[in-house]
Amino acid sequence: MSDTDLRIEFHESLDELRDDIVRLGALTVETIGKGTAAMLDRDLHAAQALIDGDDVIDTLAISIEESCYRLLALQQPMARDLRFIVCALRFASELERSADLMVNICKASRRIYDVTMSPNVRSLIEDMSIEAASLTRKAIDSFIEADDGLASALDDIDDRLDELQVQFVE
């Protein structure tokens, strides 16, 4: 295989990695919405379906991790490509963790099935869900577009979610 063929194969692998991150991000955003709805609607079947479906997210995250390690070991990337792979590795872990947190919420929703939430608490939870999904989508966009400005702004955007969390705890 020529050097040109190897470079083409390497860049195709990076494209596949990027696509997998987008898919993992989309699944995570979907999980945020579904998990919140299951809790607020007291839908035990939806909660269980989300819990059962977490294996798909876990498997994809592991696949991304393995792809990253394979690319690091076999291709010895430099500069921008190295940063992309390392960021993909860390980002996949964070997305998978976010989905796991929604699984934990679904498990907890089974325990509070008979608890009535005040309209204020329901509203805060809905707002937190919307903010979390939006923040996740923006993080995915900043990663895929390599948008340093948006990535830098994520911390400020996260402040709104932090404010909602403080209101929830009060």
mmCIF file of all heavy atoms in Angstrom, residues 10 13 62 64 68 88 98 100 120 123 169:
data_model
loop_
_atom_site.group_PDB
_atom_site.id
_atom_site.type_symbol
_atom_site.label_atom_id
_atom_site.label_comp_id
_atom_site.label_asym_id
_atom_site.label_seq_id
_atom_site.Cartn_x
_atom_site.Cartn_y
_atom_site.Cartn_z
ATOM 1 N N PHE A 10 -6.354 6.760 6.391
ATOM 2 C CA PHE A 10 -6.313 7.455 7.673
ATOM 3 C C PHE A 10 -7.404 8.519 7.744
ATOM 4 O O PHE A 10 -8.142 8.599 8.728
ATOM 5 C CB PHE A 10 -4.930 8.069 7.897
ATOM 6 C CG PHE A 10 -4.834 8.939 9.117
ATOM 7 C CD1 PHE A 10 -4.994 8.393 10.380
ATOM 8 C CD2 PHE A 10 -4.569 10.290 8.992
ATOM 9 C CE1 PHE A 10 -4.893 9.197 11.512
ATOM 10 C CE2 PHE A 10 -4.472 11.099 10.108
ATOM 11 C CZ PHE A 10 -4.628 10.554 11.375
ATOM 12 N N SER A 13 -10.760 7.066 8.111
ATOM 13 C CA SER A 13 -10.958 6.632 9.497
ATOM 14 C C SER A 13 -11.326 7.814 10.393
ATOM 15 O O SER A 13 -12.171 7.689 11.278
ATOM 16 C CB SER A 13 -9.699 5.952 10.036
ATOM 17 O OG SER A 13 -9.442 4.764 9.341
ATOM 18 N N ILE A 62 -17.531 2.541 23.404
ATOM 19 C CA ILE A 62 -16.371 1.632 23.430
ATOM 20 C C ILE A 62 -15.757 1.516 22.038
ATOM 21 O O ILE A 62 -14.533 1.523 21.890
ATOM 22 C CB ILE A 62 -16.777 0.253 23.988
ATOM 23 C CG1 ILE A 62 -17.059 0.366 25.483
ATOM 24 C CG2 ILE A 62 -15.692 -0.789 23.715
ATOM 25 C CD1 ILE A 62 -17.734 -0.848 26.083
ATOM 26 N N ILE A 64 -15.802 3.775 19.691
ATOM 27 C CA ILE A 64 -15.091 5.044 19.433
ATOM 28 C C ILE A 64 -13.739 5.023 20.144
ATOM 29 O O ILE A 64 -12.705 5.379 19.559
ATOM 30 C CB ILE A 64 -15.939 6.247 19.875
ATOM 31 C CG1 ILE A 64 -17.134 6.417 18.938
ATOM 32 C CG2 ILE A 64 -15.098 7.521 19.936
ATOM 33 C CD1 ILE A 64 -18.185 7.411 19.423
ATOM 34 N N CYS A 68 -10.055 5.244 18.415
ATOM 35 C CA CYS A 68 -9.060 6.260 18.778
ATOM 36 C C CYS A 68 -7.723 5.621 19.116
ATOM 37 O O CYS A 68 -6.675 6.064 18.631
ATOM 38 C CB CYS A 68 -9.558 7.093 19.951
ATOM 39 S SG CYS A 68 -10.926 8.200 19.569
ATOM 40 N N ALA A 88 -11.708 13.472 20.635
ATOM 41 C CA ALA A 88 -12.777 12.500 20.373
ATOM 42 C C ALA A 88 -12.836 11.468 21.493
ATOM 43 O O ALA A 88 -13.927 11.094 21.950
ATOM 44 C CB ALA A 88 -12.552 11.809 19.025
ATOM 45 N N SER A 98 -22.917 11.273 30.249
ATOM 46 C CA SER A 98 -24.179 12.026 30.277
ATOM 47 C C SER A 98 -25.373 11.097 30.061
ATOM 48 O O SER A 98 -26.399 11.228 30.738
ATOM 49 C CB SER A 98 -24.172 13.120 29.203
ATOM 50 O OG SER A 98 -23.185 14.084 29.492
ATOM 51 N N ASP A 100 -25.399 7.931 30.781
ATOM 52 C CA ASP A 100 -25.502 7.133 32.004
ATOM 53 C C ASP A 100 -26.226 7.901 33.109
ATOM 54 O O ASP A 100 -26.977 7.310 33.891
ATOM 55 C CB ASP A 100 -24.122 6.711 32.504
ATOM 56 C CG ASP A 100 -23.535 5.550 31.728
ATOM 57 O OD1 ASP A 100 -24.286 4.893 30.961
ATOM 58 O OD2 ASP A 100 -22.324 5.289 31.879
ATOM 59 N N ASN A 120 -43.785 24.056 39.778
ATOM 60 C CA ASN A 120 -42.508 24.771 39.742
ATOM 61 C C ASN A 120 -41.340 23.803 39.532
ATOM 62 O O ASN A 120 -40.446 24.058 38.717
ATOM 63 C CB ASN A 120 -42.311 25.571 41.033
ATOM 64 C CG ASN A 120 -41.067 26.437 40.990
ATOM 65 O OD1 ASN A 120 -40.773 27.060 39.978
ATOM 66 N ND2 ASN A 120 -40.346 26.471 42.085
ATOM 67 N N SER A 123 -41.409 22.426 36.001
ATOM 68 C CA SER A 123 -40.935 23.449 35.063
ATOM 69 C C SER A 123 -39.409 23.557 35.096
ATOM 70 O O SER A 123 -38.766 23.652 34.045
ATOM 71 C CB SER A 123 -41.578 24.794 35.394
ATOM 72 O OG SER A 123 -41.091 25.799 34.547
ATOM 73 N N VAL A 169 -32.337 23.120 43.699
ATOM 74 C CA VAL A 169 -31.890 22.694 45.026
ATOM 75 C C VAL A 169 -32.512 23.553 46.124
ATOM 76 O O VAL A 169 -32.792 23.074 47.212
ATOM 77 C CB VAL A 169 -30.343 22.689 45.117
ATOM 78 C CG1 VAL A 169 -29.859 22.420 46.511
ATOM 79 C CG2 VAL A 169 -29.774 21.680 44.150
#
